[in-house]
Amino acid sequence: ETGVTQSPTHLIKTRGQQVTLRCSSQSGHNTVSWYQQALGQGPQFIFQYYREEENGRGNFPPRFSGLQFPNYSSELNVNALELDDSALYLCASSRPQGGADTQYFGPGTRLTVL
Amino acid sequence: AQTVTQSQPEMSVQEAETVTLSCTYDTSESDYYLFWYKQPPSRQMILVIRQEAYKQQNATENRFSVNFQKAAKSFSLKISDSQLGDAAMYFCAYRSREAAGNKLTFGGGTRVLVKP
């Protein structure tokens, strides 16, 4: 167990709806990264938050947005859901240590879009 | 942009024997980190081993070791004395040390099957 938690575990939505996924980082970690993992593929970087500011973004459209809170927990919001958004969403927390930080992952949220 | 390639979709190994997983990557950077993560059916991604590109010595963690060939941009993982609990998806990942942020770039994964 890494100490990173995510909720909910599973979620079913219909196309066009909006969804919010939540992540609690490991104690002492101030950075949260979000990844999308389609079935049978490796995770793809969505974005990262460091001290409540976005600190890098992957090749995802603006309908993917996020927040980080003062306690360093984070949310991933996806608007106007599409069928291709069906995936496992992983968050990872870390604490920058001069570049030597390692990301620790949560168990993920499985999103199904019908 | 960096890319990571894992050419073996699936590998099978007998319990107690050794298996080696391949990973190649493409980058123009000289300073970076490489990782192997394990993802069992429970889905949680677990760090197996980490290698810093400026260190020539190959990293080792118990039964897991890597063969890091910087010039060839190759980073293979050897699992010795394989156990049933080693069965999982294994992902190779790259992280820049030069660029801002610390995003991981993953390969497509290799499924490891362990036969009793």
Side-chain angles (χ1 to χ4, degrees):
Chain A
E1 296 294 326
T2 61
V4 180
T5 61
Q6 292 186 244
S7 62
T9 304
H10 297 91
L11 203 52
I12 299 175
K13 292 285 188 179
T14 56
R15 195 169 49 181
Q17 286 189 312
Q18 179 265 342
V19 69
T20 298
L21 310 182
R22 295 177 175 82
C23 172
S24 292
S25 59
Q26 186 169 314
S27 177
H29 288 186
N30 56 14
T31 302
V32 173
S33 304
W34 285 93
Y35 295 84
Q36 180 195 65
Q37 186 178 18
L39 196 61
Q41 298 182 21
Q44 298 287 320
F45 176 73
I46 303 174
F47 45 56
Q48 179 182 95
Y49 279 84
Y50 170 64
R51 293 185 175 179
E52 303 179 58
E53 297 286 332
E54 189 177 287
N55 184 40
R57 188 179 182 92
N59 189 27
F60 281 80
R63 58 189 186 83
F64 285 78
S65 63
L67 282 174
Q68 187 178 33
F69 300 98
N71 67 354
Y72 303 128
S73 65
S74 178
E75 287 183 353
L76 165 65
N77 299 290
V78 187
N79 294 322
L81 283 167
E82 300 178 0
L83 297 180
D84 285 349
D85 296 333
S86 294
L88 180 67
Y89 288 84
L90 297 167
C91 80
S93 75
S94 58
R95 179 169 62 90
Q97 297 174 317
D101 57 308
T102 295
Q103 295 186 22
Y104 295 91
F105 285 81
T109 293
R110 171 74 66 191
L111 173 65
T112 302
V113 182
L114 302 176
Chain B
Q2 293 82 23
T3 58
V4 178
T5 302
Q6 294 179 247
S7 59
Q8 304 153 318
E10 186 174 286
M11 295 288 284
S12 184
V13 60
Q14 205 72 33
E15 195 175 5
E17 295 193 344
T18 296
V19 64
T20 299
L21 311 184
S22 300
C23 172
T24 58
Y25 56 95
D26 186 28
T27 184
S28 59
E29 299 175 339
S30 59
D31 201 5
Y32 48 86
Y33 295 96
L34 295 166
F35 303 84
W36 279 98
Y37 279 90
K38 169 186 176 181
Q39 188 178 41
S42 66
R43 309 180 323 200
Q44 187 147 14
M45 200 77 78
I46 302 164
L47 177 67
V48 175
I49 200 164
R50 183 180 87 172
Q51 176 77 42
E52 296 162 14
Y54 63 87
K55 290 187 177 179
Q56 292 185 338
Q57 186 173 4
N58 289 322
T60 299
E61 282 289 338
N62 301 316
R63 298 182 294 107
F64 299 88
S65 61
V66 298
N67 183 3
F68 173 48
Q69 301 290 327
K70 191 172 183 179
K73 296 180 184 175
S74 169
F75 183 59
S76 62
L77 174 70
K78 185 170 78 172
I79 307 174
S80 303
D81 186 24
S82 296
Q83 300 176 0
L84 295 177
D86 295 333
M89 285 292 293
Y90 286 79
F91 292 95
C92 177
Y94 172 101
R95 178 167 85 71
S96 170
R97 196 175 177 180
E98 299 172 8
N102 66 344
K103 76 168 190 176
L104 292 169
T105 300
F106 286 87
T110 297
R111 182 176 302 281
V112 172
L113 305 173
V114 181
K115 297 179 180 178

